[in-house]
Every structure is written in structure tokens, then in C-alpha cells.
């Protein structure tokens, strides 16, 4: 069973692999510690699976596909009806595990699980979601229809920042469509995905239909090149996503890669000040800025620039602490490396002449002397050539860009290579509509920060934040995880007279 939430002993527990319905110990010599980012406590050891283990996971998925593909839709849907019930039952346990290994606050960890749970609920509608279409009498006595069929073994590679939501973006929809799945979660926080896997098995996912392997580049490269894998879903950083997309595509697979971001929120001077600044600060610093849809750039237009002191004042009120501490607004960042990287970028911003309005480096956090904490940090006077503007910081750092007009704000946002999410804060419908129409970013919030669509829509990041045409969940992922087969059919009436040989392409 999982390594999760067991009492600490001298030897940390090991995270298991899930192969063919069994939770098994890896035989690898290569292990990595899973560390609580608030305390540095070693929670578990995660294996980097051997080639044989990776191949066994794919083989088990390939074998299971032979029967799962023809399992009735209702039976598949009922597995997810059960899974959503089990996730609700274990919500607190999942959130506690997530906070321990990832660092985010408990309420935010529950949010992480809940946004994934919504996708599981969506998977229960697979019957209507996967319907085909028919046209009768496309020629004399001829009907054409299409059916959706599963494509085979699919793989998923997930990042550290949403260890519940993003695995749940992937395997429920893939499996509900009749595919089988191999998931490789982030090696930084693999325990929450394993708890979800246990629930999936308890819910009735048959052996081999869901497999979980652990590791890093070697495991990812094997999944992207394995001949039995038909599709790869990836969420993570841009440089890895580009690699995954190229490798998977070169090996004839479908690939969808959701990657890095630099999300701009435009604040107009007519915006509702209190609501807008609360949203900005919440979306900038929540989850310690480690969300792909975090607001990392505030574009203040005209008179809205007078609100910089108010933004700083609000950011100062946020409580930074261990994720389990009541009232904590943000926890630590995921690792010592991440903290060093973020602090290095803050220093770069200072060196390049950006104005440091709030310095969150080296905060003293009561009871957590060893945590990877960075408190809210704000720069103003930032221009597009500054490193803090160009790089995805992925930490609690909000940078402020000042412009005079809405047109300038739109131009700056559209010139940024990323296109994951954006937002506008205004009380003017006309301004909001112009923004919605002209902005070249795939997900837009109007007076809404972090506009991550609910699962009946799809996640539609664009431009440099995405490779592949189709996004996770919603209608798009049904297309991604199925092959359309179009059938043109005529049934002969034995009594009818044959019209003879037809050597043309036309249907009669
Ligand atoms: P990451 O790219 O380092 O890791 C993602 C996955 O790739 C992990 O499973 C990891 O083991 C694997 N990996 C790491 N290095 C690899 C390599 N060289 N070759 C092959 N595989 C490799 O990302 P992360 O740090 O875990 O997550 C943060 C990033 O994810 C940020 O850039 C964030 O914007 C992005 N993200 C994007 C979205 C989105 O929907 N666009 C959502 C969440 C996170």
C-alpha cells in the first residue's frame, strides 16, 4: 500500500509502482527522497523505475486494453461514479498528504483535489460525451455514421504543482474513453497520485487499466518512444514539454503538452478597487505563486498605477507559514532548488534596476526554521526586457508593468510569448469586450483571476504555453483520446434489382 501518512521510522517508507493492478516495490538502485518542503522531513523514497519495470507497465496496459476497450460504457462510467465517492470520502487524507509533500495550504490542497474531482464527475458522463453521429440516406439506401473508438495505451506525465488535479485531468477521461493508461507523476510529490491510484483500484479499475511508474527523464523518454503507446499528455515546464512533444510526435504519437506561463492581469482605473486588488494579490501569491495560471504580471493602466501602495499593503497582510497552520495564506515553495532559483531571479530584478516594492526573501517563519519559504515579493517599474518579465519565476513574485492605455496593455500581453491565461479588471462592458476580442491568450478572466475552465469546457492555454491542438478535459480531450471511425453502409434488399457495376466515385 502507499507510503503515505505512516508514522516516521528510521527508514522512510518507499513509494510503490502500480503494475497490472499490484502495488509493487521497485528493484531499482536509484531512489530519491520525497521531502516535506516546510520541514525538510523525508516522507518517503521514490524509485526511478528500471527499464524492465517501465516496459512491464506498458505491457500490462496493452494487455488490459484488449478487454477494457469493449467494456460497456455504463460499466466504465460506474467506476468513475464510485471513484468520485471515494475521493470525497478521503478528501481530508488526500489534502493532508498533498500539503505534506507539496507545501500548499490545507484549504488550497483541498481545492487541488476538488478541481480534479470535478473531472472525475465529468468522466461519469462518458456515454453522452462519446456519442457518434449519423446521417441517413447520403445516397440511395446508404447511411453514413461515425463512432468514437479508444486508441489504446495512453501515457501521462505530470508536474509537481498540482499532484491531485493534473493526474485527474488525465487518467479518468482517458480510461472512461476505453483506453488504458500509464501515469508518471512528478518525482517531487508522487504520494498523492498513489493515494488516487489506490482509490481507483478500490473503485473497480481492473488490473492493467491504470499503471503508475516513477522516475525522471529516462522514464519520460521511454513512454514517448514506446511503440505500444499511442498518445502522450504532458503538463510541466516549457523546455521539457517541447522535448516531450518532439519525441512523441517523431514516434508517431498524439501529443498534447501544457507548458509554462506568464499570466498578465490588466487593471483598468474604473475597476472595483477592493475586489480587483484582492483578486490580484490572491492570484499572485496563492500556492506561493506555483500555479501555471497564477497572475505573475499586473499591468496597471493610467490612474490604476496609484494603487501600487495598496497592492503592497495587501500583500503584507498575507500569512506565510506551514501549510497545516490555521490561517496560512501561502506555504513554502517546493524545494530548496526552487527557492534558490526564485531568490536568484529577485536579485536579478534588483540588479537590472526594477524597483523592489516588497522583498520576501529570507522570511522568518515561526516553528519552521528549515522551510523553503519565500514571502510575497513585488517589483514595479518592470519593462519587457527585464529578466523578471521574460522568465517564468514560478514563485510568489508579482511584477508590475505600468502603461497609459488599454491598447498598450493589450499589445504588451499579446507580445509575450506565453498564452496560458490573462484577465481584465474593469466595470466597463465595452472595455471587457474589446479585451476579450483582441487579446491573444487562450483563457481569459473578466473580473475573475485564475480563469481555469470547469471540466465541461476544456483547458485552452495557447501560443507558447501549449503544443498540440487539443487541450485536457472537456470535449477536446474526448477527441484526443478517441479515434473517429466513419462508416458508410448500404444493406441490400434481396428483392431489389441490381443497378449494375458502378465504376465512378459517386454513390448512387
Ligand atoms: P517539469 O517540466 O520540471 O516536470 C514535469 C514532468 O516532466 C515531471 O514528471 C518530471 O519528472 C518530468 N521531467 C523533468 N525533467 C525532464 C526532462 N529533462 N526530460 C523528460 N522529463 C522530464 O515541471 P515542474 O517543475 O514539475 O512543474 C512546473 C511547470 O509546469 C511550470 O513551468 C508550470 O507553468 C508548468 N505547468 C503548466 C500547466 C499548464 O496547464 N500549462 C499546469 C501546471 C504546471
Amino acid at each position: 500500500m502507499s507510503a503515505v501518512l505512516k508514522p516516521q521510522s528510521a527508514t522512510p517508507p518507499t513509494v510503490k509502482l502500480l503494475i497490472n493492478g499490484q502495488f509493487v516495490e521497485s528493484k531499482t538502485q536509484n531512489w530519491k527522497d520525497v521531502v516535506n518542503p516546510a520541514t525538510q522531513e523525508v516522507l518517503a523514497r521514490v524509485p526511478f523505475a528500471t527499464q524492465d519495470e517501465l516496459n512491464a507497465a506498458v505491457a500490462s496496459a496493452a494487455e488490459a486494453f484488449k478487454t477494457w476497450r469493449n467494456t460497456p460504457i455504463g460499466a466504465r462510467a460506474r467506476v468513475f461514479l464510485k471513484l468520485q465517492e471515494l475521493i470525497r470520502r478521503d478528501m481530508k487524507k488526500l489534502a493532508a498528504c498533498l500539503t505534506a509533500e507539496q507545501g500548499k495550504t490545507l484549504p488550497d490542497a483541498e481545492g487541488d483535489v476538488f478541481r480534479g474531482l470535478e473531472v472525475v464527475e465529468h468522466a461519469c458522463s462518458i456515454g453522452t460525451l462519446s456519442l457518434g453521429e449519423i446521417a441517413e440516406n447520403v445516397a440511395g439506401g446508404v447511411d453514413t455514421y461515425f463512432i468514437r473508438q479508444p486508441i489504446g495505451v495512453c501515457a501521462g506525465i505530470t508536474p509537481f504543482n498540482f499532484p491531485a488535479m493534473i493526474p485527474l485531468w488525465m487518467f479518468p477521461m482517458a480510461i472512461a474513453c476505453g483506453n488504458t493508461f500509464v501515469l508518471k507523476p512528478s518525482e517531487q510529490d508522487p504520494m498523492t497520485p498513489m493515494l488516487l491510484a489506490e482509490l481507483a483500484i478500490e473503485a473497480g479499475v481492473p488490473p492493467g487499466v491504470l499503471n503508475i511508474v516513477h522516475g525522471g527523464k529516462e522514464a519520460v523518454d521511454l513512454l514517448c518512444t514506446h511503440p505500444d503507446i499511442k498518445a502522450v499528455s504532458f503538463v510541466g515546464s516549457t523546455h521539457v514539454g517541447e522535448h516531450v512533444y518532439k519525441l512523441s510526435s517523431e514516434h508517431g504519437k498524439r501529443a498534447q503538452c501544457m507548458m509554462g506561463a506568464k499570466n498578465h492581469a490588466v487593471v483598468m482605473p474604473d475597476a472595483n478597487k477592493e475586489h480587483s486588488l484582492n483578486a490580484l494579490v490572491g492570484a499572485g501569491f496563492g500556492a506561493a505563486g506555483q500555479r501555471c495560471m497564477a497572475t505573475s504580471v499586473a499591468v496597471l493602466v493610467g490612474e490604476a498605477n496609484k494603487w501600487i501602495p495598496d497592492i503592497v499593503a495587501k500583500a503584507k497582510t498575507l500569512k506565510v507559514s506551514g501549510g497545516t497552520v490555521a490561517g496560512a495564506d501561502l506555504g513554502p515553495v517546493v524545494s530548496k532548488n526552487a527557492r534558490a532559483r526564485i531568490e536568484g531571479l529577485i536579485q536579478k530584478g534588483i540588479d537590472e534596476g526594477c524597483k523592489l516594492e516588497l522583498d520576501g526573501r529570507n522570511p522568518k517563519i515561526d516553528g519552521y526554521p528549515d522551510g523553503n519559504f519565500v514571502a510575497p515579493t513585488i517589483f514595479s517599474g518592470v519593462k519587457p526586457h527585464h529578466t523578471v518579465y521574460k522568465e517564468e519565476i514560478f514563485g510568489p513574485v508579482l511584477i508590475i508593468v505600468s502603461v497609459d492605455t488599454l491598447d498598450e496593455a493589450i499589445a504588451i500581453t499579446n507580445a509575450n510569448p506565453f498564452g496560458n491565461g490573462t484577465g481584465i479588471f474593469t466595470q466597463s462592458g465595452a472595455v471587457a469586450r474589446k479585451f476579450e476580442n483582441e487579446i491573444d491568450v487562450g483563457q481569459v478572466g473578466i473580473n475573475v483571476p485564475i480563469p481555469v475552465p470547469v471540466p465541461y469546457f476544456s483547458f485552452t492555454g495557447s501560443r507558447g504555453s501549449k503544443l498540440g491542438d487539443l487541450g485536457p478535459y472537456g470535449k477536446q480531450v474526448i477527441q484526443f483520446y478517441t479515434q473517429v471511425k466513419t462508416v458508410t453502409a448500404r444493406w441490400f434488399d434481396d428483392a431489389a434489382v441490381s443497378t449494375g457495376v458502378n465504376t465512378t466515385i459517386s454513390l448512387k
Side-chain angles (χ1 to χ4, degrees):
M1 297 298 279
S2 75
V4 180
L5 301 179
K6 294 207 175 133
Q8 280 305 119
S9 63
T11 314
T14 52
V15 181
K16 307 294 185 262
L17 307 170
L18 172 60
I19 299 176
N20 201 25
Q22 301 295 315
F23 291 93
V24 293
E25 184 86 2
S26 174
K27 295 192 168 48
T28 186
Q29 300 299 311
N30 189 4
W31 296 81
K32 181 181 183 295
D33 289 343
V34 180
V35 178
N36 181 325
T39 62
Q40 310 305 331
E41 176 188 13
V42 177
L43 300 169
R45 295 167 70 232
V46 63
F48 280 44
T50 65
Q51 296 273 317
D52 283 351
E53 290 163 346
L54 298 169
N55 283 322
V58 179
S60 129
E63 185 59 29
F65 180 65
K66 292 176 188 165
T67 44
W68 183 248
R69 73 184 291 274
N70 285 324
T71 301
I73 291 179
R76 283 186 257 140
R78 279 189 286 279
V79 168
F80 293 100
L81 278 170
K82 185 68 187 172
L83 181 58
Q84 65 79 30
E85 178 197 327
L86 298 178
I87 291 174
R88 284 176 199 284
R89 182 194 73 189
D90 285 3
M91 176 65 85
K92 297 280 178 211
K93 180 178 166 189
L94 287 159
C97 174
L98 204 159
T99 293
E101 65 176 345
Q102 202 274 351
K104 64 178 71 173
T105 65
L106 276 175
D108 198 31
E110 283 199 30
D112 187 329
V113 178
F114 184 77
R115 294 304 304 255
L117 173 63
E118 289 182 307
V119 183
V120 178
E121 292 169 345
H122 191 58
C124 300
S125 310
I126 191 63
T128 42
L129 289 172
S130 57
L131 289 178
E133 293 179 3
I134 183 163
E136 192 186 33
N137 288 327
V138 297
V142 177
D143 305 325
T144 295
Y145 52 94
F146 81 73
I147 53 177
R148 290 193 177 280
Q149 295 191 311
I151 51 179
V153 183
C154 302
I157 298 148
T158 55
F160 81 83
N161 65 331
F162 283 100
M165 179 183 81
I166 294 179
L168 290 174
W169 278 4
M170 294 181 184
F171 76 77
M173 295 306 292
I175 291 173
C177 286
N179 302 292
T180 56
F181 207 79
V182 181
L183 174 71
K184 196 221 72 76
S186 170
E187 67 279 23
Q188 297 195 78
D189 45 16
M191 300 194 299
T192 308
M194 291 314 289
L195 281 182
L196 292 170
E198 287 178 12
L199 297 184
I201 299 296
E202 187 181 342
V205 171
V209 171
L210 172 65
N211 302 271
I212 308 211
V213 294
H214 302 289
K217 178 173 168 46
E218 210 179 313
V220 169
D221 287 1
L222 183 138
L223 296 176
C224 296
T225 54
H226 197 294
D228 288 347
I229 287 183
K230 305 299 176 204
V232 176
S233 300
F234 168 88
V235 179
S237 62
T238 299
H239 78 281
V240 179
E242 287 172 348
H243 166 73
V244 164
Y245 191 79
K246 184 166 183 287
L247 203 57
S248 305
S249 305
E250 282 169 1
H251 286 79
K253 302 176 198 325
R254 295 180 182 190
Q256 54 171 202
C257 297
M258 307 304 128
M259 307 182 295
K262 199 81 181 173
N263 304 310
H264 293 48
V266 175
V267 183
M268 300 299 292
D270 73 339
N272 179 306
K273 182 177 168 187
E274 195 59 18
H275 285 305
S276 306
L277 299 194
N278 283 342
L280 201 60
V281 168
F285 302 117
Q290 298 171 115
R291 293 182 183 132
C292 67
M293 289 289 277
T295 296
S296 44
V297 183
V299 186
L300 305 187
V301 179
E303 293 287 299
N305 281 286
K306 292 188 176 152
W307 298 345
I308 293 176
D310 304 277
I311 297 171
V312 173
K314 277 187 188 295
K316 280 184 179 166
T317 66
L318 296 181
K319 179 171 171 178
V320 185
S321 193
T324 53
V325 172
D329 293 299
L330 56 147
V333 297
V334 71
S335 66
K336 285 185 175 173
N337 282 348
R339 177 182 173 180
R341 194 181 151 275
I342 294 162
E343 289 178 346
L345 282 162
I346 295 172
Q347 187 57 50
K348 194 100 180 158
I350 297 167
D351 295 346
E352 291 180 0
C354 304
K355 183 173 177 206
L356 188 59
E357 301 272 0
L358 183 62
D359 186 356
R361 290 173 297 175
N362 299 311
K364 298 287 164 267
I365 310 297
D366 283 349
Y368 293 91
D370 301 321
N372 313 319
F373 291 99
V374 182
T377 298
I378 299 177
F379 280 112
S380 66
V382 177
K383 303 281 181 205
H385 66 271
H386 287 130
T387 306
V388 288
Y389 181 83
K390 288 192 289 191
E391 294 265 323
E392 182 185 35
I393 301 175
F394 222 57
V397 182
L398 180 68
I399 62 174
I400 297 175
V401 173
S402 299
V403 297
D404 294 327
T405 65
L406 174 63
D407 284 328
E408 270 182 85
I410 291 173
I412 282 189
T413 309
N414 286 351
N416 190 280
F418 293 112
N420 217 34
T422 188
I424 187 159
F425 291 89
T426 179
Q427 293 295 79
S428 161
V431 164
R433 192 176 183 286
K434 173 183 164 76
F435 185 80
E436 172 192 313
N437 178 259
E438 295 181 14
I439 206 74
D440 190 8
V441 174
Q443 302 176 108
V444 181
I446 297 174
N447 296 315
V448 171
I450 323 182
V452 177
V454 290
Y456 358 108
F457 296 89
S458 299
F459 191 92
T460 55
S462 63
R463 293 198 285 123
S465 297
K466 177 185 189 178
L467 283 168
D469 298 330
L470 301 170
Y473 62 81
K475 289 180 187 159
Q476 292 193 7
V477 101
I478 301 289
Q479 279 178 266
F480 184 74
Y481 285 137
T482 60
Q483 172 65 47
V484 166
K485 188 180 277 178
T486 310
V487 181
T488 302
R490 166 183 281 151
W491 293 94
F492 296 113
D493 180 345
D494 283 343
V497 178
S498 170
T499 52
V501 176
N502 174 17
T503 58
T504 73
I505 193 171
S506 45
L507 289 167
K508 289 188 177 162

